Structures are given as C-alpha cells and as structure tokens.
Amino acid sequence: MDERKLPALSSYRWVILGIIALMDMISNYTQFQISALATQIMPALHISPAQFSSLLMAPMLVAVFLSIPSGMLADKFGAKKIVTIGCIVSVIGAYGRLFAHNFITMMLMLMMFGIYMALLNANTIKIFSTWFKQDTNVAMGIFFASASVGITLSQLTSSLFASVSAAYIFSSTVLLILTVLWIIFVKDTPKGEPVPKSEPVTKYLRVVIKSKKTWLVGISGGIGSAATMSFTGILPQALINGKGIAIASAGAIASVATIGSLIGSLVAPAVTHHLNRAKPYMVLTRIVAGISIFATWFTPAGGLMMANLVIGGLFGAANGPLMQGMVAEFPEIGPKYAGSAGGLVGTMQLLLSYVLTVVISAIAGQNYLVTFAIQAILTASTMILIMILPDANHVRD
C-alpha cells in the first residue's frame, strides 16, 4: 500500500493507548491477586479448590454475557460512556472485596469488578481502529502485552503487602485513579473526525452476525485461548507430578512462558509490518507454538525447557493482536460496527476457551502426554482458519 495514501494519525492516540493499557494491566493484576494470595484467601473464606477456581474465573464469566450488548451500545452511544459506567461499578466491586468474608459475597464483588474488563475488552477493536487506523494491530499488540505485565506483577508483588486487605486497597485505588483518567482524558474520536451516525441497536448486531469473517476470528481466538489456558493451568502440575520438580521451581519455570507471550504480542505486529503478506508468518507461528507445547513433555528441566517455553509463548501470542486488528478492516464492519464485532469475538473466545478447556480435561484426565498433544493439535489447527481468512496485510484488497 502506498504510504502517502494512509490517513494521518493523531498524536493523542498514545494517550488513549496508555490509559487503556494501564487499565488492562490493573485488571489482570487484580484478577490474579486471587491466585497469588490463594494460601491466605482460601482459609479466610473457607472455600474449596473448586470455589477458588470459580472466584478466579468470575471476572471472565461476566464478559460472556456483557460483551455483545456492550459492543452494540458503544456503537450507538460511544465507547467512553459505556466503559465509564462499567468502571464506576467495578471500583465499587474492587473495594467491596474488603468486606467480602465468604464465597458468595466475594463472588459477587469479583463479578462487579469484572464489568469494566468486559466492556473495555469488547470495545478495544472499536477504539483502536478509530484512533490507530492502519496501525491497529500495533495498538493491539501493546494491549495484549499489558495483560502479561499485569499477571507477572501480580505474582511478584502480591506477597509483599502486609495483609490481603492492603493488597486489595492498592489495586482498588489504582483502578480508581485510572477511572478518573479515563473520564477526563479519553475521547471517542480524534478532533475533527465525525462521529458515525447512530442507528437502531439491533442493526449493529444484524450486521455483525452476517459477517462470516468475524465469526472465524472469534472461533480461532477461542480455540487458541482454550489451548493456552489449558496449557498454563496444567503445566505446574505436570512439572511437579510428571517430572518431579519442586513446587517453587515448577512455578518459576511455568511463569517463563509469560515472558515469551509479552514479547510475542509486541514483536508480531512489527514483523508483519515489514512483510508483503502476513499469512505465511501467521501460519508458521501456529505450527511452531503447537510443536513447542507438545515438546514440553519431552524437554528436560532446566535451561532447555525454559527456552522452549519462551519460544512457545513468543509464537503462541503472536496471532492474537493480528487477528483482532483485522476485524475493523473487514469492509462490512469498519469502525462503525467494530464495537458489536468486538463483542461477538470476545463472547466466542470466552465460551470456546471455557468449554474446550473442560473437554480437554475430561478426555486427557491426568495423562499429561495426551493433554499436551491435544493442546498442540488445537493450537496448530487454527492455521486452517488463518488460511481461510484474508491476509492481515491485505484485508481490504
């Protein structure tokens, strides 16, 4: 594409991206405090491992029901108004954890906290396509990387607080500050650009439902997320029970994959920017990621395994920003319907990632070789959908 024909981008886009990336980082930081503080939280709430898993997934559960409606409403009224409402409710839920002393109240608070996560994630495609246009996948890469940063920081710092309450107060206050920044500084469109004409809410959904390519992006993302979640969840157990690695060492080794994911999210958009066609590279990433997952079971513990996990994370996270960045480029979608499209993609990803993770566990049980094999097959299989979809560098051609 001739660079001279590309639309000019507002420098204010970096302010928008910075606030959104920080909001995504604190959302993951807060969600995974449950995991980092599990040894203190579980006895205090008198909960079982199953209930603990439910608390960890509570913010994501909300997104299943809110992603599509929030995307439709953002297309009609603007993403800023919709996400602002979610932020206010989520701040209440985040601070409400201080007063949650049993499973039911904590579940309710975490679901309230998850509301802004659902609304923001559903509308990132819309926001980034409006502000970054041809560089949407770059913004998506930074957004995806911010999640990895939040998870890593949560695991590293949560134990440093004097108490669980202190940890809750810190993350809640950061969210409150970011909510204020969102309200003050975030804008729906760059200065001088017209706001798309509002249409009946149902039309946004009708347009998106008819987009086969949007469905394929959602299905691909769901399959990939399921494989990743299953792999991340089972890896520490496999290292401890299957390879006899100490608990502390297993956790440290397993966390290495996050480093690869962070790098992959940032590097992939930059790599494809310099390629004429992105599709061969995207297919290659799925093959390498699948091989890496399967090879984990046969790789000896130590430097070789950590290198394999970094490679797996690097290639495994490469396609997420590229695939989601494509959606607003589909001729039938564009920025006007990107909120509803993002809602559909988000819903498909969450539903498939949850269902397929359960299916993998049911089929493989505690057989780690079979588990890794299924995860590898699912990861590699998404290359079929990539080949069906338009090339990420030539979506409108």
Side-chain angles (χ1 to χ4, degrees), residues 66 68 95 122 138 148 158 196 205-206 208 221 223 226 240 249 264 276 287 294 312 349-351 377 384 394-395:
L66 292 184
I68 292 178
Y95 277 111
V138 174
S148 298
S158 292
L205 183 60
R206 288 200 305 270
V208 169
I223 294 173
I240 295 168
S249 299
N276 181 40
I287 295 173
F294 186 66
Q349 287 182 339
L350 289 166
L351 283 175
I377 292 170
I384 299 173
H394 303 279
V395 177

Side-chain angles (χ1 to χ4, degrees), residues 1 13 35 48 69-70 98 109 115 157 180 219 223 281 283 292 296 298 300 320 331 335 369 385:
M1 182 181 292
R13 70 191 187 279
S35 175
S48 66
S70 67
L98 294 165
M109 292 303 106
I115 289 176
T157 65
V180 174
I219 292 170
I223 294 173
Y281 170 75
V283 169
S292 174
T296 301
F298 303 97
L369 175 59
L385 300 176

Side-chain angles (χ1 to χ4, degrees), residues 235 239 243 245 253 256 295-311:
L235 181 58
L239 295 176
K243 293 183 174 292
I245 297 174
I253 292 173
V256 169
T296 301
W297 182 244
F298 303 97
T299 307
L304 191 60
M305 174 170 286
M306 288 191 284
N308 177 63
L309 290 174
V310 170
I311 291 172

Side-chain angles (χ1 to χ4, degrees), residues 268-342:
V271 171
T272 55
H273 179 74
H274 296 286
L275 300 174
N276 181 40
R277 294 182 59 80
K279 190 174 290 189
Y281 170 75
M282 293 173 70
V283 169
L284 176 64
T285 63
R286 305 319 291 165
I287 295 173
V288 173
I291 292 174
S292 174
I293 289 175
F294 186 66
T296 301
W297 182 244
F298 303 97
T299 307
L304 191 60
M305 174 170 286
M306 288 191 284
N308 177 63
L309 290 174
V310 170
I311 291 172
L314 180 68
F315 286 92
N319 277 8
L322 301 174
M323 294 289 280
Q324 295 210 25
M326 292 171 59
V327 176
E329 290 291 310
F330 295 152
E332 70 274 21
I333 301 298
K336 183 174 183 177
Y337 301 102
S340 301

